[in-house]
Amino acid sequence: NGRVAWRGCYGVKNAETGEPVKDDTVFEAASLSKPVFAYGVMKLVDQEKLDLDEPLAESISEADLNSAYPPTKNGDLRYRKITPRMVLTHCTGFPNWFGGQPMSFLFDPGERFSYSGEAYTFLAVTVQAITGKSFIDFMRETVLEPLGMKDSSYVWLESYDKQFAASHDILGRRTQRGRSTVPRAGASLYTTAADYARFLVALGSGEGLSRKTWQEMIRPQIAVRGRDGKGEVNFHWGLGVGANETEKGTTLWHWGDNGDFNAYFEI
C-alpha cells in the first residue's frame, strides 16, 4: 500500500569480525543499479526532455560524444540508431560490456533482446548532455534525494568506511574489494536494503511519474527468448525492469551480479 511495511537484518557484514548487518549496512546493488537509473530517465521523459524513440546521437554532438564516450571513435555507425527504448529494453545489439575494447555489436540495434550494461553507460552520457549535469548530480537530485535514499550513491562515499559490508566468496571467506570512484549507471550503485525498499515503493506505485509514463515503464515490451534470441519465450522486459504478466497482475523484477555481491528483487 505504498509504504515499507517491514524490514529485518540477518547475518554478519564481516565474517572475520562478526560485526552484524544493521539497517544502515551498505551493499553493492550490482545491476539493481539499472532500474534506479531507468526511473530517473523516465522522469526526463515526463518532462519531455527525452523522447524514448529518438536516437541518442541526436541529443549530443558527435565530437562531444566521442570525447565523453571514446568507444564511438572506433565503432561502426550503427550506434546512431540506438534509442533510449532500445537501451532500456536491452536490444541495442551491444555485448554486456566492451571490456576496454572498441565498440562492437552482436546484431543490429532493435533486432532482439541481449542484456547490456554497456548500453546504460551510453544512455548515461547522453543524459548528462541533455541535462547539463554530471551523472552523480542528476541521480542525486532526480532520484536519490526525492526518495529519501540517504545512504545510496553510485560512487564510494567516506561514510561507507564504517557502513560497507565486506565481500565474501561462496564459502564465506573474506575477499578483497575495490571501491568505485567512477559511476556506472548499470552497475555501481551502493545502497542499503532500507533505501532500496523506498525505491521499490516508488517503482511499484508510480510515485514521481505521471500515470502514463509509469505504465509505459512497467509494460512488457519485448519477449526474451533463449540463447541467440531463438526458442520459446522465457519472460518479458519493460523499460529498465523485467515485467511479466501473471494471473495476479504484473510482476516487476531484476537481478544483480557483481561477483561476490549478488542481489535480486521482485514485486
Short mmCIF file of all heavy atoms in Angstrom, two decimals, residues 161-227:
data_model
loop_
_atom_site.label_atom_id
_atom_site.label_comp_id
_atom_site.label_asym_id
_atom_site.label_seq_id
_atom_site.Cartn_x
_atom_site.Cartn_y
_atom_site.Cartn_z
N ASP A 161 33.12 3.70 4.81
CA ASP A 161 34.22 3.05 5.53
C ASP A 161 33.70 2.27 6.73
O ASP A 161 34.25 1.23 7.10
CB ASP A 161 35.25 4.09 6.00
CG ASP A 161 36.04 4.69 4.85
OD1 ASP A 161 36.10 4.05 3.78
OD2 ASP A 161 36.60 5.79 5.02
N LYS A 162 32.62 2.77 7.34
CA LYS A 162 32.04 2.10 8.51
C LYS A 162 30.77 1.32 8.17
O LYS A 162 30.39 0.42 8.91
CB LYS A 162 31.74 3.13 9.59
CG LYS A 162 32.97 3.82 10.17
CD LYS A 162 32.58 4.80 11.27
CE LYS A 162 33.80 5.47 11.87
NZ LYS A 162 33.44 6.44 12.95
N GLN A 163 30.13 1.65 7.07
CA GLN A 163 28.84 1.04 6.75
C GLN A 163 28.92 -0.16 5.81
O GLN A 163 28.03 -1.00 5.80
CB GLN A 163 27.92 2.08 6.08
CG GLN A 163 27.45 3.20 6.97
CD GLN A 163 26.62 4.20 6.19
OE1 GLN A 163 27.13 5.17 5.65
NE2 GLN A 163 25.31 3.95 6.11
N PHE A 164 29.98 -0.25 5.02
CA PHE A 164 30.02 -1.21 3.92
C PHE A 164 30.19 -2.65 4.41
O PHE A 164 30.98 -2.93 5.30
CB PHE A 164 31.17 -0.86 2.98
CG PHE A 164 31.16 -1.61 1.68
CD1 PHE A 164 30.07 -1.57 0.83
CD2 PHE A 164 32.26 -2.37 1.31
CE1 PHE A 164 30.07 -2.25 -0.37
CE2 PHE A 164 32.28 -3.05 0.11
CZ PHE A 164 31.18 -3.00 -0.74
N ALA A 165 29.42 -3.55 3.82
CA ALA A 165 29.57 -4.97 4.10
C ALA A 165 30.76 -5.51 3.34
O ALA A 165 30.94 -5.23 2.15
CB ALA A 165 28.30 -5.72 3.68
N ALA A 166 31.59 -6.29 4.02
CA ALA A 166 32.73 -6.90 3.35
C ALA A 166 32.24 -7.90 2.31
O ALA A 166 31.13 -8.43 2.41
CB ALA A 166 33.61 -7.61 4.39
N SER A 167 33.05 -8.15 1.30
CA SER A 167 32.69 -9.16 0.30
C SER A 167 33.24 -10.51 0.73
O SER A 167 34.30 -10.61 1.37
CB SER A 167 33.25 -8.77 -1.07
OG SER A 167 34.65 -8.63 -1.04
N HIS A 168 32.52 -11.55 0.40
CA HIS A 168 32.88 -12.91 0.77
C HIS A 168 32.66 -13.85 -0.42
O HIS A 168 31.79 -13.59 -1.25
CB HIS A 168 32.04 -13.40 1.95
CG HIS A 168 32.12 -12.55 3.17
ND1 HIS A 168 31.41 -11.37 3.31
CD2 HIS A 168 32.85 -12.70 4.31
CE1 HIS A 168 31.69 -10.83 4.49
NE2 HIS A 168 32.55 -11.62 5.11
N ASP A 169 33.43 -14.95 -0.47
CA ASP A 169 33.21 -15.92 -1.53
C ASP A 169 32.10 -16.89 -1.12
O ASP A 169 31.47 -16.73 -0.07
CB ASP A 169 34.51 -16.65 -1.89
CG ASP A 169 35.07 -17.48 -0.72
OD1 ASP A 169 34.31 -17.80 0.23
OD2 ASP A 169 36.27 -17.81 -0.77
N ILE A 170 31.84 -17.90 -1.93
CA ILE A 170 30.71 -18.80 -1.67
C ILE A 170 30.94 -19.67 -0.42
O ILE A 170 29.99 -20.29 0.07
CB ILE A 170 30.43 -19.71 -2.89
CG1 ILE A 170 31.65 -20.56 -3.24
CG2 ILE A 170 29.98 -18.88 -4.08
CD1 ILE A 170 31.37 -21.59 -4.32
N LEU A 171 32.17 -19.70 0.09
CA LEU A 171 32.46 -20.44 1.32
C LEU A 171 32.45 -19.52 2.54
O LEU A 171 32.76 -19.96 3.65
CB LEU A 171 33.81 -21.15 1.21
CG LEU A 171 33.93 -22.18 0.07
CD1 LEU A 171 35.32 -22.79 0.05
CD2 LEU A 171 32.87 -23.27 0.23
N GLY A 172 32.11 -18.24 2.32
CA GLY A 172 32.02 -17.32 3.44
C GLY A 172 33.34 -16.71 3.84
O GLY A 172 33.46 -16.14 4.93
N ARG A 173 34.36 -16.82 2.98
CA ARG A 173 35.67 -16.25 3.29
C ARG A 173 35.78 -14.84 2.74
O ARG A 173 35.30 -14.54 1.65
CB ARG A 173 36.78 -17.13 2.69
CG ARG A 173 36.79 -18.54 3.22
CD ARG A 173 37.77 -19.42 2.47
NE ARG A 173 37.44 -19.52 1.05
CZ ARG A 173 37.89 -20.49 0.25
NH1 ARG A 173 38.69 -21.42 0.74
NH2 ARG A 173 37.55 -20.52 -1.02
N ARG A 174 36.42 -13.95 3.51
CA ARG A 174 36.62 -12.57 3.09
C ARG A 174 37.38 -12.51 1.78
O ARG A 174 38.33 -13.25 1.56
CB ARG A 174 37.40 -11.79 4.16
CG ARG A 174 36.59 -11.26 5.33
CD ARG A 174 35.72 -10.08 4.92
NE ARG A 174 36.40 -9.08 4.16
CZ ARG A 174 37.17 -8.12 4.69
NH1 ARG A 174 37.32 -8.02 5.99
NH2 ARG A 174 37.75 -7.23 3.90
N THR A 175 36.97 -11.60 0.90
CA THR A 175 37.69 -11.37 -0.35
C THR A 175 38.02 -9.88 -0.46
O THR A 175 37.42 -9.04 0.20
CB THR A 175 36.85 -11.79 -1.57
OG1 THR A 175 35.59 -11.10 -1.54
CG2 THR A 175 36.59 -13.28 -1.55
N GLN A 176 38.98 -9.55 -1.29
CA GLN A 176 39.36 -8.16 -1.50
C GLN A 176 38.32 -7.46 -2.38
O GLN A 176 37.74 -8.06 -3.27
CB GLN A 176 40.75 -8.08 -2.15
CG GLN A 176 41.86 -8.65 -1.29
CD GLN A 176 42.02 -7.87 0.00
OE1 GLN A 176 42.06 -6.64 0.00
NE2 GLN A 176 42.09 -8.59 1.13
N ARG A 177 38.12 -6.19 -2.10
CA ARG A 177 37.12 -5.45 -2.86
C ARG A 177 37.60 -4.05 -3.18
O ARG A 177 38.12 -3.34 -2.31
CB ARG A 177 35.83 -5.33 -2.04
CG ARG A 177 34.59 -5.10 -2.88
CD ARG A 177 34.23 -6.34 -3.63
NE ARG A 177 33.16 -6.16 -4.61
CZ ARG A 177 32.84 -7.11 -5.47
NH1 ARG A 177 33.49 -8.24 -5.48
NH2 ARG A 177 31.86 -6.91 -6.34
N GLY A 178 37.47 -3.64 -4.43
CA GLY A 178 37.81 -2.28 -4.81
C GLY A 178 36.68 -1.33 -4.49
O GLY A 178 35.59 -1.72 -4.05
N ARG A 179 36.92 -0.05 -4.69
CA ARG A 179 35.92 0.99 -4.44
C ARG A 179 35.63 1.72 -5.74
O ARG A 179 36.55 2.20 -6.40
CB ARG A 179 36.42 1.97 -3.38
CG ARG A 179 36.69 1.32 -2.02
CD ARG A 179 37.25 2.32 -1.04
NE ARG A 179 37.39 1.73 0.30
CZ ARG A 179 37.80 2.40 1.37
NH1 ARG A 179 38.14 3.69 1.24
NH2 ARG A 179 37.89 1.80 2.54
N SER A 180 34.38 1.83 -6.11
CA SER A 180 34.00 2.51 -7.35
C SER A 180 34.10 4.02 -7.17
O SER A 180 33.38 4.60 -6.35
CB SER A 180 32.57 2.13 -7.76
OG SER A 180 32.49 0.77 -8.10
N THR A 181 34.99 4.64 -7.90
CA THR A 181 35.15 6.09 -7.85
C THR A 181 34.61 6.76 -9.11
O THR A 181 34.48 7.98 -9.15
CB THR A 181 36.63 6.46 -7.66
OG1 THR A 181 37.40 5.88 -8.72
CG2 THR A 181 37.16 5.94 -6.32
N VAL A 182 34.33 5.96 -10.13
CA VAL A 182 33.72 6.45 -11.37
C VAL A 182 32.36 5.79 -11.50
O VAL A 182 32.25 4.56 -11.47
CB VAL A 182 34.58 6.11 -12.61
CG1 VAL A 182 33.88 6.57 -13.89
CG2 VAL A 182 35.95 6.76 -12.49
N PRO A 183 31.27 6.55 -11.60
CA PRO A 183 29.94 5.96 -11.62
C PRO A 183 29.68 5.16 -12.89
O PRO A 183 30.10 5.54 -13.98
CB PRO A 183 29.01 7.17 -11.53
CG PRO A 183 29.80 8.28 -12.15
CD PRO A 183 31.22 8.03 -11.72
N ARG A 184 28.97 4.06 -12.74
CA ARG A 184 28.49 3.28 -13.87
C ARG A 184 26.99 3.09 -13.68
O ARG A 184 26.55 2.47 -12.72
CB ARG A 184 29.19 1.92 -13.96
CG ARG A 184 30.64 2.00 -14.38
CD ARG A 184 31.16 0.65 -14.85
NE ARG A 184 31.13 -0.33 -13.77
CZ ARG A 184 31.36 -1.64 -13.97
NH1 ARG A 184 31.60 -2.10 -15.18
NH2 ARG A 184 31.32 -2.46 -12.94
N ALA A 185 26.22 3.63 -14.59
CA ALA A 185 24.77 3.61 -14.46
C ALA A 185 24.21 2.21 -14.29
O ALA A 185 23.21 2.01 -13.61
CB ALA A 185 24.13 4.28 -15.68
N GLY A 186 24.88 1.24 -14.89
CA GLY A 186 24.36 -0.12 -14.87
C GLY A 186 24.87 -1.01 -13.78
O GLY A 186 24.43 -2.16 -13.66
N ALA A 187 25.81 -0.51 -12.92
CA ALA A 187 26.41 -1.48 -12.01
C ALA A 187 27.00 -0.95 -10.72
O ALA A 187 27.34 -1.75 -9.84
CB ALA A 187 27.52 -2.24 -12.76
N SER A 188 27.16 0.37 -10.51
CA SER A 188 27.98 0.83 -9.39
C SER A 188 27.20 1.37 -8.19
O SER A 188 27.79 1.95 -7.29
CB SER A 188 28.97 1.90 -9.86
OG SER A 188 28.30 3.12 -10.19
N LEU A 189 25.89 1.18 -8.15
CA LEU A 189 25.11 1.71 -7.02
C LEU A 189 25.48 1.02 -5.70
O LEU A 189 25.49 -0.20 -5.61
CB LEU A 189 23.61 1.53 -7.27
CG LEU A 189 22.69 2.01 -6.16
CD1 LEU A 189 22.77 3.52 -5.98
CD2 LEU A 189 21.24 1.57 -6.43
N TYR A 190 25.78 1.84 -4.70
CA TYR A 190 25.90 1.38 -3.32
C TYR A 190 24.61 1.76 -2.61
O TYR A 190 24.13 2.90 -2.75
CB TYR A 190 27.07 2.07 -2.61
CG TYR A 190 28.44 1.72 -3.12
CD1 TYR A 190 29.14 2.60 -3.95
CD2 TYR A 190 29.07 0.53 -2.76
CE1 TYR A 190 30.41 2.30 -4.42
CE2 TYR A 190 30.35 0.21 -3.21
CZ TYR A 190 31.01 1.11 -4.04
OH TYR A 190 32.28 0.80 -4.50
N THR A 191 24.04 0.84 -1.84
CA THR A 191 22.77 1.16 -1.19
C THR A 191 22.51 0.24 -0.01
O THR A 191 23.22 -0.76 0.16
CB THR A 191 21.61 1.06 -2.21
OG1 THR A 191 20.42 1.63 -1.65
CG2 THR A 191 21.34 -0.37 -2.62
N THR A 192 21.52 0.57 0.78
CA THR A 192 21.07 -0.28 1.87
C THR A 192 19.76 -0.95 1.46
O THR A 192 19.07 -0.48 0.55
CB THR A 192 20.83 0.52 3.15
OG1 THR A 192 19.74 1.44 2.92
CG2 THR A 192 22.07 1.31 3.57
N ALA A 193 19.40 -2.02 2.15
CA ALA A 193 18.12 -2.67 1.86
C ALA A 193 16.96 -1.70 2.11
O ALA A 193 15.99 -1.67 1.36
CB ALA A 193 17.96 -3.92 2.71
N ALA A 194 17.08 -0.90 3.17
CA ALA A 194 16.02 0.05 3.51
C ALA A 194 15.87 1.12 2.43
O ALA A 194 14.75 1.47 2.04
CB ALA A 194 16.32 0.71 4.85
N ASP A 195 17.00 1.64 1.93
CA ASP A 195 16.94 2.63 0.86
C ASP A 195 16.32 2.03 -0.40
O ASP A 195 15.48 2.65 -1.06
CB ASP A 195 18.35 3.13 0.53
CG ASP A 195 18.75 4.36 1.34
OD1 ASP A 195 18.03 4.69 2.30
OD2 ASP A 195 19.78 4.97 1.01
N TYR A 196 16.74 0.82 -0.74
CA TYR A 196 16.25 0.24 -1.99
C TYR A 196 14.76 -0.08 -1.89
O TYR A 196 14.03 0.01 -2.87
CB TYR A 196 17.04 -1.02 -2.37
CG TYR A 196 17.03 -1.25 -3.87
CD1 TYR A 196 17.97 -0.63 -4.68
CD2 TYR A 196 16.05 -2.03 -4.47
CE1 TYR A 196 17.94 -0.79 -6.06
CE2 TYR A 196 16.01 -2.20 -5.84
CZ TYR A 196 16.96 -1.58 -6.63
OH TYR A 196 16.91 -1.73 -8.00
N ALA A 197 14.31 -0.41 -0.68
CA ALA A 197 12.88 -0.65 -0.49
C ALA A 197 12.08 0.62 -0.79
O ALA A 197 10.98 0.55 -1.34
CB ALA A 197 12.61 -1.12 0.93
N ARG A 198 12.64 1.78 -0.43
CA ARG A 198 11.96 3.04 -0.73
C ARG A 198 11.82 3.22 -2.24
O ARG A 198 10.79 3.70 -2.73
CB ARG A 198 12.73 4.22 -0.12
CG ARG A 198 12.74 4.22 1.41
CD ARG A 198 13.44 5.47 1.95
NE ARG A 198 13.47 5.44 3.40
CZ ARG A 198 14.48 4.99 4.14
NH1 ARG A 198 15.58 4.54 3.54
NH2 ARG A 198 14.42 4.99 5.45
N PHE A 199 12.86 2.85 -2.97
CA PHE A 199 12.78 2.93 -4.42
C PHE A 199 11.71 1.97 -4.95
O PHE A 199 10.92 2.32 -5.85
CB PHE A 199 14.13 2.60 -5.06
CG PHE A 199 14.02 2.30 -6.54
CD1 PHE A 199 13.70 3.30 -7.43
CD2 PHE A 199 14.21 1.01 -7.01
CE1 PHE A 199 13.56 3.02 -8.79
CE2 PHE A 199 14.07 0.73 -8.36
CZ PHE A 199 13.75 1.73 -9.26
N LEU A 200 11.65 0.75 -4.41
CA LEU A 200 10.67 -0.22 -4.89
C LEU A 200 9.24 0.23 -4.63
O LEU A 200 8.33 -0.07 -5.42
CB LEU A 200 10.93 -1.59 -4.25
CG LEU A 200 12.23 -2.28 -4.67
CD1 LEU A 200 12.36 -3.62 -3.99
CD2 LEU A 200 12.30 -2.43 -6.18
N VAL A 201 9.02 0.95 -3.54
CA VAL A 201 7.70 1.51 -3.28
C VAL A 201 7.33 2.47 -4.42
O VAL A 201 6.20 2.44 -4.94
CB VAL A 201 7.66 2.24 -1.92
CG1 VAL A 201 6.41 3.12 -1.82
CG2 VAL A 201 7.68 1.24 -0.78
N ALA A 202 8.29 3.31 -4.82
CA ALA A 202 8.04 4.26 -5.91
C ALA A 202 7.83 3.54 -7.23
O ALA A 202 6.92 3.87 -8.01
CB ALA A 202 9.20 5.25 -6.02
N LEU A 203 8.64 2.53 -7.49
CA LEU A 203 8.52 1.77 -8.74
C LEU A 203 7.18 1.05 -8.80
O LEU A 203 6.53 1.02 -9.85
CB LEU A 203 9.65 0.74 -8.83
CG LEU A 203 9.62 -0.19 -10.04
CD1 LEU A 203 9.81 0.59 -11.33
CD2 LEU A 203 10.70 -1.28 -9.90
N GLY A 204 6.75 0.50 -7.68
CA GLY A 204 5.51 -0.27 -7.66
C GLY A 204 4.25 0.57 -7.67
O GLY A 204 3.17 0.09 -8.02
N SER A 205 4.38 1.84 -7.29
CA SER A 205 3.19 2.70 -7.20
C SER A 205 3.17 3.80 -8.25
O SER A 205 2.13 4.45 -8.47
CB SER A 205 3.14 3.36 -5.82
OG SER A 205 4.23 4.25 -5.63
N GLY A 206 4.31 4.03 -8.90
CA GLY A 206 4.40 5.11 -9.88
C GLY A 206 4.67 6.46 -9.27
O GLY A 206 4.57 7.50 -9.95
N GLU A 207 5.05 6.49 -8.00
CA GLU A 207 5.37 7.75 -7.32
C GLU A 207 6.41 8.54 -8.11
O GLU A 207 7.42 8.00 -8.54
CB GLU A 207 5.90 7.45 -5.91
CG GLU A 207 6.38 8.65 -5.13
CD GLU A 207 7.06 8.28 -3.83
OE1 GLU A 207 6.91 7.13 -3.38
OE2 GLU A 207 7.76 9.15 -3.27
N GLY A 208 6.16 9.82 -8.31
CA GLY A 208 7.11 10.68 -9.00
C GLY A 208 7.00 10.68 -10.51
O GLY A 208 7.70 11.43 -11.18
N LEU A 209 6.12 9.84 -11.06
CA LEU A 209 5.92 9.77 -12.51
C LEU A 209 4.45 9.97 -12.84
O LEU A 209 3.57 9.65 -12.02
CB LEU A 209 6.37 8.40 -13.04
CG LEU A 209 7.84 8.02 -12.90
CD1 LEU A 209 8.05 6.57 -13.35
CD2 LEU A 209 8.74 8.96 -13.70
N SER A 210 4.18 10.47 -14.03
CA SER A 210 2.79 10.52 -14.48
C SER A 210 2.31 9.09 -14.67
O SER A 210 3.10 8.16 -14.90
CB SER A 210 2.67 11.29 -15.79
OG SER A 210 3.26 10.55 -16.86
N ARG A 211 1.02 8.89 -14.57
CA ARG A 211 0.50 7.53 -14.71
C ARG A 211 0.83 6.95 -16.09
O ARG A 211 1.18 5.77 -16.22
CB ARG A 211 -1.02 7.52 -14.49
CG ARG A 211 -1.61 6.11 -14.51
CD ARG A 211 -3.00 6.04 -13.95
NE ARG A 211 -3.51 4.67 -13.91
CZ ARG A 211 -3.19 3.77 -12.98
NH1 ARG A 211 -2.35 4.11 -12.01
NH2 ARG A 211 -3.69 2.55 -13.02
N LYS A 212 0.75 7.78 -17.13
CA LYS A 212 1.04 7.31 -18.48
C LYS A 212 2.48 6.83 -18.59
O LYS A 212 2.75 5.75 -19.14
CB LYS A 212 0.77 8.43 -19.49
CG LYS A 212 1.09 8.06 -20.93
CD LYS A 212 0.85 9.24 -21.86
CE LYS A 212 1.23 8.88 -23.30
NZ LYS A 212 1.03 10.02 -24.23
N THR A 213 3.42 7.62 -18.07
CA THR A 213 4.84 7.27 -18.16
C THR A 213 5.14 6.04 -17.32
O THR A 213 5.90 5.15 -17.73
CB THR A 213 5.70 8.45 -17.69
OG1 THR A 213 5.48 9.56 -18.56
CG2 THR A 213 7.19 8.10 -17.72
N TRP A 214 4.56 5.98 -16.13
CA TRP A 214 4.77 4.82 -15.26
C TRP A 214 4.26 3.54 -15.91
O TRP A 214 4.95 2.51 -15.92
CB TRP A 214 4.08 5.04 -13.92
CG TRP A 214 4.11 3.85 -13.01
CD1 TRP A 214 5.22 3.22 -12.52
CD2 TRP A 214 2.98 3.14 -12.48
NE1 TRP A 214 4.86 2.17 -11.71
CE2 TRP A 214 3.49 2.10 -11.68
CE3 TRP A 214 1.60 3.31 -12.60
CZ2 TRP A 214 2.65 1.21 -10.99
CZ3 TRP A 214 0.77 2.43 -11.92
CH2 TRP A 214 1.29 1.39 -11.14
N GLN A 215 3.07 3.60 -16.49
CA GLN A 215 2.50 2.41 -17.12
C GLN A 215 3.34 1.97 -18.32
O GLN A 215 3.45 0.78 -18.60
CB GLN A 215 1.05 2.67 -17.53
CG GLN A 215 0.10 2.75 -16.34
CD GLN A 215 -1.34 2.95 -16.75
OE1 GLN A 215 -1.64 3.57 -17.77
NE2 GLN A 215 -2.25 2.42 -15.95
N GLU A 216 3.92 2.93 -19.02
CA GLU A 216 4.80 2.58 -20.14
C GLU A 216 6.06 1.90 -19.64
O GLU A 216 6.57 0.95 -20.25
CB GLU A 216 5.16 3.84 -20.94
CG GLU A 216 6.00 3.59 -22.18
CD GLU A 216 5.27 2.83 -23.27
OE1 GLU A 216 4.04 2.59 -23.15
OE2 GLU A 216 5.93 2.44 -24.25
N MET A 217 6.59 2.35 -18.49
CA MET A 217 7.80 1.77 -17.93
C MET A 217 7.61 0.31 -17.54
O MET A 217 8.49 -0.52 -17.79
CB MET A 217 8.25 2.57 -16.71
CG MET A 217 9.53 2.06 -16.07
SD MET A 217 10.04 3.07 -14.64
CE MET A 217 11.63 2.30 -14.27
N ILE A 218 6.46 0.00 -16.94
CA ILE A 218 6.27 -1.35 -16.41
C ILE A 218 5.55 -2.28 -17.39
O ILE A 218 5.32 -3.46 -17.08
CB ILE A 218 5.50 -1.32 -15.07
CG1 ILE A 218 4.07 -0.81 -15.27
CG2 ILE A 218 6.25 -0.46 -14.06
CD1 ILE A 218 3.21 -0.89 -14.02
N ARG A 219 5.23 -1.78 -18.57
CA ARG A 219 4.54 -2.61 -19.56
C ARG A 219 5.51 -3.59 -20.22
O ARG A 219 6.58 -3.19 -20.67
CB ARG A 219 3.93 -1.70 -20.64
CG ARG A 219 3.26 -2.44 -21.79
CD ARG A 219 2.63 -1.46 -22.77
NE ARG A 219 3.60 -0.65 -23.49
CZ ARG A 219 4.23 -1.04 -24.60
NH1 ARG A 219 4.01 -2.25 -25.11
NH2 ARG A 219 5.08 -0.23 -25.21
N PRO A 220 5.17 -4.88 -20.29
CA PRO A 220 6.04 -5.82 -21.01
C PRO A 220 6.18 -5.39 -22.46
O PRO A 220 5.19 -5.27 -23.18
CB PRO A 220 5.28 -7.15 -20.88
CG PRO A 220 4.45 -7.01 -19.64
CD PRO A 220 4.03 -5.56 -19.64
N GLN A 221 7.43 -5.15 -22.90
CA GLN A 221 7.64 -4.58 -24.23
C GLN A 221 8.41 -5.48 -25.18
O GLN A 221 8.30 -5.34 -26.40
CB GLN A 221 8.38 -3.24 -24.10
CG GLN A 221 7.64 -2.24 -23.25
CD GLN A 221 7.97 -0.81 -23.63
OE1 GLN A 221 8.55 -0.51 -24.67
NE2 GLN A 221 7.57 0.11 -22.77
N ILE A 222 9.21 -6.37 -24.64
CA ILE A 222 9.99 -7.23 -25.52
C ILE A 222 10.07 -8.63 -24.93
O ILE A 222 10.25 -8.80 -23.72
CB ILE A 222 11.42 -6.66 -25.74
CG1 ILE A 222 12.17 -7.46 -26.79
CG2 ILE A 222 12.20 -6.57 -24.44
CD1 ILE A 222 13.46 -6.82 -27.26
N ALA A 223 9.87 -9.62 -25.78
CA ALA A 223 9.93 -11.01 -25.34
C ALA A 223 11.39 -11.46 -25.29
O ALA A 223 12.18 -11.15 -26.18
CB ALA A 223 9.14 -11.89 -26.29
N VAL A 224 11.74 -12.16 -24.23
CA VAL A 224 13.10 -12.67 -24.07
C VAL A 224 13.08 -14.17 -24.32
O VAL A 224 12.42 -14.92 -23.59
CB VAL A 224 13.64 -12.36 -22.65
CG1 VAL A 224 15.07 -12.86 -22.52
CG2 VAL A 224 13.56 -10.87 -22.37
N ARG A 225 13.80 -14.56 -25.34
CA ARG A 225 13.84 -15.98 -25.72
C ARG A 225 15.17 -16.58 -25.29
O ARG A 225 15.94 -15.96 -24.57
CB ARG A 225 13.62 -16.12 -27.22
CG ARG A 225 12.28 -15.55 -27.69
CD ARG A 225 12.08 -15.69 -29.18
NE ARG A 225 10.82 -15.07 -29.61
CZ ARG A 225 9.64 -15.69 -29.59
NH1 ARG A 225 9.58 -16.95 -29.19
NH2 ARG A 225 8.55 -15.07 -29.98
N GLY A 226 15.40 -17.79 -25.72
CA GLY A 226 16.63 -18.49 -25.35
C GLY A 226 17.85 -17.86 -25.99
O GLY A 226 17.81 -16.77 -26.56
N ARG A 227 18.97 -18.56 -25.91
CA ARG A 227 20.23 -18.06 -26.44
C ARG A 227 20.10 -17.66 -27.91
O ARG A 227 19.43 -18.33 -28.69
CB ARG A 227 21.31 -19.14 -26.28
CG ARG A 227 22.71 -18.68 -26.66
CD ARG A 227 23.73 -19.75 -26.35
NE ARG A 227 23.81 -19.98 -24.92
CZ ARG A 227 24.55 -19.26 -24.09
NH1 ARG A 227 25.24 -18.23 -24.55
NH2 ARG A 227 24.61 -19.55 -22.81
#
